[in-house]
């Protein structure tokens, strides 16, 4: 069984130690783009069969 009071104090401690300038720098320096990554044919497989879809 977990001790939720300890979890809360850990979160509070982490929040108090946050360096907002470092977070800002990390976000600016990421190499992630806002474009979707190309999927393989297997990954493009729909979860719902086309003939069962009602949204078309």
């Amino acid at each position: 069984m977990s001790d939720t009071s300890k979890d809360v104090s850990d979160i509070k401690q982490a929040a108090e130690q946050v360096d907002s300038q470092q977070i800002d720098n990390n976000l600016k320096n990421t190499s992630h783009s806002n474009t979707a990554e190309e999927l393989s044919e297997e990954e493009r497989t729909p979860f719902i069969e086309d003939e069962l879809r009602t949204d078309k």
Side-chain angles (χ1 to χ4, degrees):
M1 187 146 87
S2 69
D3 182 8
T4 57
S5 62
K6 181 175 181 347
D7 294 341
V8 172
S9 65
D10 288 348
I11 293 168
K12 184 177 179 181
Q13 181 182 5
E16 289 170 351
Q17 293 176 356
V18 125
D19 181 0
S20 60
Q21 286 183 332
Q22 185 63 45
I23 292 172
D24 191 41
N25 287 340
N26 290 346
L27 290 173
K28 286 179 182 175
N29 294 329
T30 58
S31 62
H32 297 89
S33 66
N34 289 331
T35 58
E37 112 182 47
E38 289 295 317
L39 300 177
S40 69
E41 185 63 36
E42 184 177 299
E43 291 171 324
R44 276 187 240 135
T45 304
F47 290 100
I48 301 173
E49 294 180 33
D50 266 350
E51 55 270 1
L52 298 176
R53 290 181 61 180
T54 59
D55 62 332
K56 286 187 171 186

